[in-house]
Amino acid sequence: MIHLGADDLAALLTPAAAAEALAGALRAGLDPEGCPERSNTPVPAGELLVMPAASATYAGVKVAGVVPANPARGLPRITGSYLLLDGPTLLPLAVLDGAALTTLRTAAVSALAIDALAEADAARLVLFGAGPQAYAHLESALTTRELTQVTVVSRTSARAERLVAYARELGLEARTGSPADVAFADLVICCTTAHEPLFDGRRIPAHATVVAVGSHRSAVRETDSELVRRSSLWVEARTAALREAGDLLIPLAEGVITETDITGTLATLVGEGVRPPTDRPRLFKSVGMGWEDLVVAGAAHGALAGARDALPDLSVPGEAGRARREF
């Protein structure tokens, strides 16, 4: 069975290719509303998540750990593996690095939302967070918009400075900042472990788009009720959002919005080409879903098969033979 680590995934799929795989699935009629629910089990170290999904071509399941104490140990907060199966036979095909897959597919989902929701000339990004998701979201956002300025807001100054340095390497004007900087943003991306709102929703300009991906817990949020009240609201799936998205469930409980105030879904934006209203902010709330893992894992497996077919036979000596064995 094939094992694909983080470096393998990066070599097989660009952020743009991962986003296009997701878009293709939605355009082909995939309905996220019918995706199996995530199983969440508390364990002594944190949480154990199980996320299954299936299609005619592939099936798969992600087992992921969320370990809040890991970063202090120099270890990733998100751990786990993804088991990819052949759809018709359910025979195992590959095991993928679960954290790397999560990072890639989450940023790819956000890229689809940004492409559909953000102003065409959006250039100023405020990025909350400085972990792996922040790097991935910066790279994915650059595939959809010609960003020129990036402001990084993080509670850890050293990590923020490293991300700023990376953004400058990408040719962007970058600096660290504060939550007040959202007042000048065209695009705001939130990928943090925050439990409370990161900024004052009244400061978000009417033309701006906000993407929040940090949590799938019903009592946790990165955005406040005022932003939710002001915005057109977009989600991956209504069923998942109304089960897990604290950014929406808390304002719902407060009576600030009703379920009918959710404007639309990723499928309506991508599959049906629905255009958002432009007279108010646009908020996309992501919780992460099993179908996304499956589609991106399947795309990586397909890319691997294509790469193998393009290489000489294993029996060929020398560099070509060694290159094939690396896959």
Side-chain angles (χ1 to χ4, degrees):
M1 187 164 53
I2 299 164
H3 293 260
L4 299 178
D7 291 342
D8 300 314
L9 275 175
L12 289 167
L13 282 185
T14 65
E20 183 51 39
L22 292 166
L26 291 172
R27 294 187 189 114
L30 184 148
D31 182 9
E33 302 292 350
C35 183
E37 294 185 22
R38 180 197 336 260
S39 169
N40 185 328
T41 303
V43 295
E47 299 174 86
L48 194 60
L49 312 178
V50 179
M51 301 175 65
S55 69
T57 307
Y58 292 110
V61 61
K62 182 169 71 178
V63 178
V66 181
V67 189
N70 267 4
R73 301 172 176 137
L75 298 172
R77 182 174 178 270
I78 305 296
T79 68
S81 296
Y82 192 87
L83 177 62
L84 182 68
L85 310 171
D86 176 65
T89 66
L90 297 184
L91 291 174
L93 296 173
V95 174
L96 293 80
D97 182 300
L101 177 62
T102 300
T103 299
L104 177 61
R105 62 85 156 143
T106 304
V109 169
S110 295
L112 292 182
I114 292 167
D115 192 42
L117 296 174
E119 297 289 327
D121 60 352
R124 295 168 296 183
L125 166 65
V126 175
L127 180 57
F128 286 87
Q133 284 287 2
Y135 284 82
H137 275 77
L138 175 59
E139 293 168 359
S140 276
L142 285 168
T143 69
T144 68
R145 292 296 183 271
E146 295 183 5
L147 302 175
T148 59
Q149 301 176 24
V150 178
T151 301
V152 177
V153 184
S154 172
R155 62 187 180 185
T156 308
S157 59
R159 296 177 74 187
E161 291 291 354
R162 285 195 292 271
L163 181 51
V164 164
Y166 179 70
R168 289 171 179 164
E169 291 175 6
L170 298 178
L172 301 170
E173 179 185 326
R175 64 177 179 86
T176 59
S178 73
D181 286 303
V182 299
F184 309 101
D186 303 315
L187 175 63
V188 177
I189 300 176
C190 307
C191 36
T192 74
T193 59
H195 286 205
E196 299 292 337
L198 296 165
F199 54 86
D200 184 346
R202 294 172 299 182
R203 289 181 172 271
I204 295 292
H207 73 276
T209 294
V210 178
V211 174
V213 306
S215 173
H216 60 267
R217 295 168 58 187
S218 61
V220 171
R221 59 178 173 170
E222 295 175 294
T223 60
D224 66 10
S225 297
E226 179 59 17
L227 176 65
V228 172
R229 184 194 66 78
R230 294 179 57 211
S231 301
S232 64
L233 307 174
W234 304 85
V235 296
E236 294 150 298
R238 293 176 186 272
T239 49
L242 293 173
R243 209 169 41 236
E244 300 179 324
D247 293 72
L248 303 182
L249 290 172
I250 294 171
L252 274 166
E254 294 172 343
V256 173
I257 59 168
T258 67
E259 292 183 12
T260 60
D261 288 317
I262 297 176
T263 312
T265 67
L266 198 64
T268 58
L269 287 171
V270 176
E272 301 175 21
V274 171
R275 296 297 88 191
T278 58
D279 60 343
R280 49 193 164 131
R282 283 134 270 177
L283 171 60
F284 177 74
K285 172 55 190 169
S286 168
V287 295
M289 299 184 69
W291 72 269
E292 300 156 359
D293 294 310
L294 180 67
V295 168
V296 174
H301 186 263
L304 173 62
R308 280 180 155 178
D309 291 342
L311 289 168
D313 188 81
L314 276 171
S315 62
V316 177
E319 292 301 319
R322 281 192 290 274
R324 185 180 176 95
R325 283 192 293 273
E326 289 175 0
F327 286 93

